[in-house]
C-alpha cells in the first residue's frame, strides 16, 4: 500500500471516530448544562412555594391551553405536605408526587411509569415538606435539540471535510512524487546532487542523506575507475615483458642464453604474481567499510609472522632485521583492538618495502613505542617531491631495480585507517635513511 493511501485510510477512519467521540462529549456537556439550568429552576420554585404554603388543603387549578404557550405544564409539578403526610397544597400534577419525608435535595425516581427528577425541601423551622418535580423527558428533548442543532451542520459537512482531507493529502505528498519522478528519470551514471533549497522541510533530511549517498557512490566509482585504469597500465608492462621473454626463451638454444631467459621469465612471473596479489588485497580493503573482526592485538605473534615472511628477501639482500621491544613497567606497547591478519599484512608490507629499498648489506629496524611503531632503513635520501608521492598507488621511486608493485604503502595506509591509525613518512635524522611511523591518530 502506498504512503498516500495509507495516510488517507488513517484519516478517513480517524476523522469519523474523533467526530463520534466529540458527539458523545457534546451530549454529556449539553445534558450537564440542561440539568444545571432546570435544577436551579426547581430549587427556586420549591423555595417560593415554601413561602406561600398555608395550612389548608387545596389543589391548584390546571393550566388552560391559552395559558401554556409553547410549554407543556403536565411535565412540571409542585406539592406541599404537613409533617404527618397530609397534602397541604399542590397543582394538578403535584398530587402524583410521592411523599418522602426522609429525602432532602434531588431525587431521580419514576412516577406512573415515567422518569422524574424531584427536589424535596424542608423549610427551616417549618412543619411541612415542599417538592418540585419535572419529567426527565423535557430535559432529554432539550439536550437532543441542542446537540442536534450543533451536530447537524457537521454531519452535512463531513463528506466535504473528507474530500478536503483527500485533496490536502495529495497536495502534501506531491513533493515526494516529484522527488521519486526525478530519481526515476535519471540515468545510472547521473549522480549529481538533488536540490535541497526548494524541497519540503520534512524531505530535506532524506534528500541530504541521498546526496551524501550519491557522493559516496561517485567517489567509489571514481576510485574503481582510477584503480582499473592504473591496474591496466601497470599490468601492460609486465605482460609485455613476459611476452618478450617468452619469445626469447622459445628461440633460445640450450645454454647460458636460455638459462638467462628462463631466469628473467621467472622473475617476471614473480613480479606479476606479486602485483596481482597486492591489487586484490587493496581492492578488498577499499570495498570493506569496517573491520571484519576486532580483538586484542598480540603484537609479538604479528612481528614473528611478518619478519618470517620477509626473512628470505632480507637474507638475499644481506639486510639485518631487528626489533626494539621496550616494555615500560610491564605494559605492552601500542595496545590496540583490531584484526591481527590485517595488521600482519600492514607490518609485512612495511618491512618488505624497507628491506626492498634499503642498500645491500645495511639494516632495517622495527621499533615499538607506547602509542606507535616505527620502521627505519638506511635508504638513500629522496627529494621532497618523491617523499610526498610515497603512498600513491603504483608509484615506485626511481633508481631501484627491486621488483615491486607500488601498492604496499597504499595497503598500509588503508589498514591503518581501518584501525584508527595514522601513517607518517619522513627522512630519518642524520640526512640518511627513511622512517615510517604508524601511530594512534
Amino acid at each position: 500500500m502506498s504512503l498516500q493511501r495509507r495516510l488517507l485510510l488513517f484519516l478517513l477512519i480517524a476523522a469519523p471516530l474523533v467526530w463520534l467521540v466529540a458527539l458523545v462529549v457534546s451530549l454529556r456537556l449539553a445534558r450537564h448544562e440542561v440539568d444545571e439550568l432546570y435544577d436551579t429552576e426547581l430549587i427556586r420554585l420549591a423555595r417560593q412555594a415554601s413561602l406561600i404554603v398555608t395550612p389548608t388543603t387545596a389543589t391548584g387549578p390546571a393550566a388552560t391551553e391559552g395559558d401554556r404557550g409553547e410549554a407543556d405544564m403536565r411535565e412540571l409539578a409542585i406539592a406541599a405536605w404537613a409533617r404527618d403526610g397530609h397534602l397541604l397544597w399542590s397543582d394538578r400534577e403535584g398530587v402524583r408526587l410521592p411523599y418522602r419525608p426522609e429525602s432532602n435535595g434531588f431525587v431521580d425516581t419514576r412516577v406512573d411509569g415515567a422518569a422524574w427528577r424531584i427536589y424535596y425541601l424542608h423549610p427551616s423551622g417549618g412543619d411541612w415538606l415542599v417538592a418540585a418535580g419535572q419529567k426527565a423527558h423535557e430535559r432529554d428533548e432539550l439536550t437532543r435539540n441542542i446537540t442536534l442543532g450543533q451536530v447537524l451542520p457537521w454531519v452535512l459537512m463531513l463528506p466535504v471535510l473528507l474530500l478536503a482531507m483527500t485533496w490536502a493529502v495529495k497536495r502534501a505528498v506531491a513533493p515526494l512524487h516529484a522527488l521519486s519522478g526525478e530519481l526515476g528519470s535519471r540515468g545510472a551514471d547521473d549522480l549529481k546532487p538533488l536540490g535541497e533549497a526548494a524541497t519540503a522541510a520534512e524531505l530535506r533530511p532524506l534528500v541530504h542523506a541521498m546526496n551524501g549517498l550519491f557522493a559516496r557512490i561517485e567517489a567509489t566509482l571514481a576510485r574503481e575507475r582510477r584503480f582499473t585504469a592504473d591496474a591496466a597500465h601497470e599490468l601492460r608492462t609486465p605482460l609485455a615483458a613476459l611476452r618478450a621473454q617468452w619469445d626469447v626463451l622459445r628461440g633460445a638454444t640450450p645454454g647460458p642464453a636460455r638459462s638467462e631467459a628462463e631466469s628473467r621469465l621467472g622473475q617476471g612471473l614473480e613480479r606479476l604474481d606479486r602485483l596481482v596479489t597486492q591489487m586484490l588485497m587493496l581492492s578488498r580493503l577499499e570495498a570493506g567499510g569496517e573491520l571484519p573482526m576486532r580483538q586484542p592485538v598480540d603484537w609479538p605473534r604479528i612481528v614473528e609472522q611478518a619478519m618470517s615472511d620477509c626473512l628470505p628477501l632480507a637474507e638475499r639482500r644481506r639486510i639485518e632485521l631487528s626489533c626494539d621491544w621496550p616494555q615500560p613497567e610491564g605494559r605492552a606497547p601500542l595496545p590496540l583492538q583490531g584484526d591481527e591478519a590485517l595488521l600482519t599484512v600492514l607490518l609485512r608490507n612495511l618491512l618488505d618495502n624497507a628491506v626492498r629499498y634499503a642498500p645491500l648489506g645495511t639494516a632495517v629496524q622495527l621499533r615499538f613505542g607506547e602509542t606507535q611503531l616505527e620502521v627505519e632503513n638506511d635508504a638513500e635520501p629522496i627529494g621532497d617531491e618523491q617523499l610526498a608521492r610515497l603512498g600513491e598507488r603504483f608509484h615506485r621511486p626511481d633508481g631501484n631495480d627491486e621488483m615491486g608493485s607500488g601498492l604496499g604503502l597504499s595497503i598500509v595506509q588503508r589498514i591503518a585507517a581501518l584501525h584508527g591509525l595514522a601513517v607518517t613518512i619522513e627522512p630519518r635524522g642524520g640526512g640518511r635513511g627513511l622512517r615510517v611511523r604508524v601511530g594512534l591518530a
Side-chain angles (χ1 to χ4, degrees), residues 372-409:
Q372 64 187 21
L373 65 85
E374 297 176 351
V375 176
E376 297 180 350
N377 67 0
D378 293 324
E380 295 291 335
I382 60 176
D384 293 339
E385 182 180 354
Q386 287 286 340
L387 185 64
R389 295 194 61 191
L390 291 180
E392 292 184 8
R393 292 176 178 178
F394 303 108
H395 173 72
R396 300 178 66 233
D398 299 330
N400 195 288
D401 297 330
E402 281 292 327
M403 292 184 301
S405 64
L407 293 174
L409 284 177

Side-chain angles (χ1 to χ4, degrees), residues 55 127 208 226 229 283:
D127 293 330
H208 183 72
R226 186 171 65 251
S283 178

Side-chain angles (χ1 to χ4, degrees), residues 29-285:
L29 291 176
R31 182 54 186 259
H32 173 74
E33 294 298 327
V34 168
D35 285 343
E36 187 176 5
L37 173 65
Y38 280 118
D39 286 351
T40 302
E41 294 301 321
L42 287 179
I43 294 173
R44 182 181 295 113
L45 181 60
R47 288 179 177 177
Q48 290 175 350
S50 67
L51 297 176
I52 63 175
V53 170
T54 58
T56 59
T57 302
T59 300
T64 65
E65 293 294 331
D67 295 332
R68 293 187 310 172
E70 295 295 329
D72 188 354
M73 300 304 295
R74 292 170 299 178
E75 296 184 352
L76 189 66
I78 188 169
W81 296 271
R83 182 183 296 275
D84 57 0
H86 178 69
L87 182 63
L88 297 177
W89 185 91
S90 74
D91 60 5
R92 190 180 65 178
E93 287 75 21
V95 297
R96 295 183 295 165
L97 296 180
Y99 173 66
R100 302 178 64 168
E102 73 283 359
S103 298
N104 187 27
F106 286 100
V107 174
D108 293 317
T109 185
R110 302 190 72 83
V111 177
D112 296 337
W116 282 71
R117 184 170 176 83
I118 305 172
Y119 178 72
Y120 289 94
L121 175 65
H122 293 270
S124 178
D127 293 330
W128 57 86
L129 172 66
V130 177
Q134 184 184 33
K135 277 188 178 180
H137 171 73
E138 178 70 17
R139 301 180 181 221
D140 295 337
E141 184 179 7
L142 181 58
T143 302
R144 285 194 301 269
N145 291 337
I146 293 175
T147 306
L148 289 177
Q150 296 177 347
V151 169
L152 187 59
W154 283 100
V155 173
L156 296 177
M157 292 300 295
L158 183 60
V160 179
L161 175 62
L162 297 179
L163 289 175
M165 287 193 300
T166 303
W167 176 83
V169 168
K170 290 182 178 180
R171 293 290 298 171
V173 300
L176 190 59
H177 289 306
L179 178 62
S180 61
E182 181 181 354
L183 292 175
S185 63
R186 285 192 174 194
D189 57 344
D190 188 359
L191 296 174
K192 66 178 182 292
L194 297 167
E196 296 186 30
T199 306
E202 293 78 7
L203 292 178
R204 284 175 189 167
L206 175 62
V207 173
H208 183 72
M210 293 180 68
N211 286 339
L213 176 62
F214 290 159
R216 293 192 295 273
I217 293 176
E218 187 172 16
T220 301
L221 291 176
R223 186 169 59 247
E224 293 300 326
R225 294 190 191 102
R226 186 171 65 251
F227 181 83
T228 303
D230 292 344
H233 178 270
E234 290 299 317
L235 287 172
R236 188 181 299 116
T237 301
L239 287 175
L242 286 175
R243 185 180 298 110
Q245 292 159 6
W246 172 248
D247 291 339
V248 172
L249 178 62
R250 194 169 50 176
T253 58
R258 186 179 180 88
S259 298
E260 178 68 18
E262 290 177 348
S263 175
R264 290 183 177 275
L265 181 62
Q267 293 175 0
L269 290 173
E270 183 180 350
R271 178 186 177 189
L272 183 62
D273 177 71
R274 176 181 174 81
L275 176 61
V276 172
T277 301
Q278 295 285 67
M279 287 172 57
L280 291 175
M281 171 64 72
L282 184 58
S283 178
R284 284 196 297 268
L285 289 174

